[in-house]
Amino acid sequence: MTQETNLLRARAKAYAAPLAAFALVLSTGALIVGHQHVNAATAADNSATPINDASIDPLLALDQATEAVASRVTPAVVNIAVTSHRTEQPAMEGEGGGNDQDDNPFSQFFGPGSGHGFGQQGPEQGQGPRQIEHGIGSGIIISPDGYIVTNNHVVENAKTVSVTMDNGKTLDAKVVGADPKTDVAVIKVNEPGDYPFVSFAKEMPRIGDWVVAIGNPYGLGGTVTAGIVSAEGRDIGDGPYDRFLQIDAPINRGNSGGPTFNMQGQVVGMNTAIYSPSGGSVGIGFAIPASTVSTVEAALEHGGSIARGYLGVEIQPVSQDIAENLGLKSAAGAIVDKVMPGTPAAEAGLKTGDVITKLNGKDIAEASDLTLQVGMLKPGEKVQLTYMRDGAEKTADATLAPQKAEKTASADESGTNDKAAPALGIQLAPASEVAGSGDKGVAIVGVDPNGAAAEQGLATGQVILDVGGKPVSTPQEVKSEVANAKSQGKKSVLMRIQTAEGDRFVAVPFPKA
């Protein structure tokens, strides 16, 4: 039997059908054994100083150091319980099972029902009555007046939010602000007081550094685990600003929003997701870096919003085939699919086919790097772009605008088509002569399922706009440019294709003799 591998958000859910099951989860989460540590009532003697500021002797044995960190910072880690409303889909007779579609950012790759959850999920057709949804997660107190950071997916659409402290006291809280793009949210307890809190690390941890994770797995209450930082800069496809730390400290559902600490007791990350074949920890967890959490938190704390810069381009990664066609030394950077009229990119003179290689002197190794770097800048900031055009390196200055609907095209893993019309396995006609194809380019009106074009994803209804960087309007022009590329000894020909999802570049390899 093969196991399906899922990337699951580390939030635990339980639905109010039956409510008794949820009561058990919550009661378990409330049964916190008294720690022989500093508690919430005594930890804030100096409310102006984070409780994790005291230094810890690095020469202590690892187990002693881990215990020292945990005992000092645990009072600032809370359990979070939320209720919200959802429209329940009725279960089919004889069916039940998990509902990880909400928890699984990779569900689009694995299909519905690939996860293992606590609730029930019915078929896609038809909807039942509104149900109360319950969720549990974790949070980090980051100020003495009770501001808490957690994951957006923990409190998203929450009707009520309650926080259970390390000493067992439960407090009502409210959502102050949230940023779905980074999955960071800020909540605040309603009751005034001096609360134990922790601070964020100012430096990124190194790969191999020992870390301690604390959270509320499966509603069991404050749980401490330890491990190392396994990797950094992980892009797990969960959003445009992903750059996760990968840790092997065991985290599970309910750990979402909880902290990962370094051995100085500083928060280096917020636990968010796990990669797992079973729904439980297999030692691959992901945490949002503290630098991202603290930046977003600062903007959200007082009800603000995140202002992100906007350049105005649609981009895609540079594959090896694309790099070869453009004469680039390596498959790096972001190739411009389209420049939006009236945007900073248009004003800076960028054009379709340009490959952006640097932003403010910093290399763009992948297309997602450009999205991340621009998104972390504010509207009005000036940037310098370095790009390649016709084999020459150029620079341009741009002033970022407020962000709109910026799109990053997915990597074209399949490559593209190659061959002139019949040679590549496609039949062509001027787009102007094919209904619904527009006035520009050459429409694909037939595809050989065994041809090179089909292997690369070309399909009937798409339109070829450029071949080898030159606009085409007739099938003969397509054939001519394909032949030209082949005569130059290239292994593939670069085309710009108009699809229902937008324009994209495709490097279609020539069939081998």
Side-chain angles (χ1 to χ4, degrees):
M1 179 182 294
T2 60
Q3 287 183 315
E4 291 177 317
T5 301
N6 308 301
L7 188 145
L8 308 173
R9 290 195 184 280
R11 172 192 180 186
K13 282 187 177 180
Y15 302 117
L19 281 174
F22 167 63
L24 282 175
V25 172
L26 277 193
S27 63
T28 303
L31 292 175
I32 303 176
V33 178
H35 296 284
Q36 300 301 314
H37 307 317
V38 181
N39 61 35
T42 61
D45 292 338
N46 183 357
S47 62
T49 303
I51 61 174
N52 59 343
D53 265 6
S55 61
I56 295 172
D57 187 349
L59 299 180
L60 288 173
L62 187 57
D63 60 341
Q64 292 177 308
T66 302
E67 191 281 334
V69 170
S71 63
R72 184 172 296 279
V73 302
T74 294
V77 183
V78 299
N79 302 334
I80 297 174
V82 302
T83 62
S84 59
H85 290 97
R86 67 191 282 268
T87 300
E88 182 68 70
Q89 295 188 355
M92 293 180 66
E93 183 177 356
E95 284 197 355
N99 181 9
D100 272 357
Q101 288 302 95
D102 293 337
D103 289 342
N104 185 0
F106 275 8
S107 60
Q108 59 185 322
F109 300 145
F110 300 110
S114 60
H116 306 269
F118 296 104
Q120 294 182 336
Q121 179 172 311
E124 294 184 4
Q125 69 273 15
Q127 291 185 335
R130 295 183 74 197
Q131 299 289 332
I132 297 175
E133 181 184 83
H134 301 276
I136 53 178
S138 307
I140 315 163
I141 306 177
I142 44 88
S143 71
D145 52 351
Y147 279 93
I148 298 168
V149 289
T150 187
N151 282 137
N152 173 67
H153 74 260
V154 170
V155 297
E156 190 172 23
N157 301 320
K159 300 300 181 183
T160 65
V161 181
S162 63
V163 170
T164 301
M165 305 287 293
D166 180 55
N167 62 0
K169 184 176 182 179
T170 298
L171 304 169
D172 292 332
K174 63 180 180 181
V175 178
V176 174
D179 180 39
K181 289 187 175 181
T182 55
D183 200 13
V184 175
V186 177
I187 65 176
K188 187 180 186 302
V189 296
N190 296 334
E191 184 176 316
D194 287 332
Y195 296 95
F197 68 101
V198 291
S199 60
F200 294 105
K202 291 182 172 57
E203 296 182 358
M204 286 280 288
R206 299 167 299 180
I207 296 174
D209 279 355
W210 198 256
V211 291
V212 175
I214 304 178
N216 181 28
Y218 298 109
L220 294 173
T223 300
V224 178
T225 56
I228 64 169
V229 175
S230 304
E232 60 183 21
R234 291 298 200 205
D235 182 351
I236 63 174
D238 197 28
Y241 307 112
D242 286 359
R243 281 301 184 273
F244 289 91
L245 296 175
Q246 181 182 325
I247 62 172
D248 73 352
I251 61 174
N252 289 283
R253 290 181 162 196
N255 276 101
S256 271
T260 292
F261 293 99
N262 60 21
M263 299 312 288
Q264 287 71 49
Q266 300 166 330
V267 178
V268 295
M270 178 194 292
N271 303 323
T272 297
I274 59 175
Y275 186 69
S276 171
S278 63
S281 173
V282 294
I284 302 178
F286 300 99
I288 303 171
S291 57
T292 299
V293 179
S294 60
T295 299
V296 175
E297 182 278 328
L300 296 177
E301 183 173 322
H302 301 292
S305 59
I306 307 300
R308 293 188 170 95
Y310 175 68
L311 184 59
V313 290
E314 289 186 4
I315 56 176
Q316 74 177 68
V318 178
S319 67
Q320 189 61 48
D321 286 339
I322 291 176
E324 179 184 288
N325 271 273
L326 295 178
L328 302 178
K329 294 181 180 179
S330 62
I335 187 169
V336 177
D337 284 334
K338 181 183 292 186
V339 178
M340 308 304 177
T343 63
E347 294 174 1
L350 289 181
K351 296 181 179 180
T352 296
D354 290 342
V355 177
I356 301 174
T357 58
K358 293 181 181 180
L359 180 72
N360 290 336
K362 187 174 181 180
D363 288 341
I364 303 297
E366 302 175 359
S368 59
D369 291 342
L370 181 63
T371 302
L372 179 66
Q373 290 186 36
V374 171
M376 290 301 172
L377 298 174
K378 296 180 180 180
E381 288 195 47
K382 294 184 178 180
V383 297
Q384 184 182 72
L385 299 162
T386 303
Y387 61 96
M388 299 295 296
R389 178 186 294 173
D390 298 329
E393 184 176 86
K394 300 178 180 293
T395 61
D397 295 326
T399 301
L400 299 180
Q403 191 177 89
K404 300 176 183 178
E406 190 170 25
K407 176 183 177 182
T408 302
S410 300
D412 184 12
E413 298 289 347
S414 60
T416 29
N417 311 307
D418 237 311
K419 297 184 174 182
L424 296 177
I426 50 178
Q427 294 178 330
L428 306 174
S432 59
E433 298 179 6
V434 179
S437 297
D439 298 326
K440 295 181 179 180
V442 179
I444 300 175
V445 295
V447 178
D448 178 357
N450 298 315
E455 292 178 358
Q456 302 303 320
L458 269 64
T460 300
Q462 296 176 348
V463 176
I464 301 173
L465 301 174
D466 299 341
V467 179
K470 295 182 179 181
V472 292
S473 58
T474 67
Q476 187 56 45
E477 289 177 346
V478 173
K479 294 179 183 180
S480 176
E481 292 304 328
V482 168
N484 184 44
K486 195 169 185 178
S487 68
Q488 295 176 13
K490 294 183 177 180
K491 298 179 181 179
S492 61
V493 61
L494 187 64
M495 297 181 178
R496 184 163 66 99
I497 308 295
Q498 178 181 294
T499 71
E501 290 75 31
D503 299 350
R504 66 186 178 102
F505 282 94
V506 177
V508 183
F510 294 113
K512 295 181 180 179

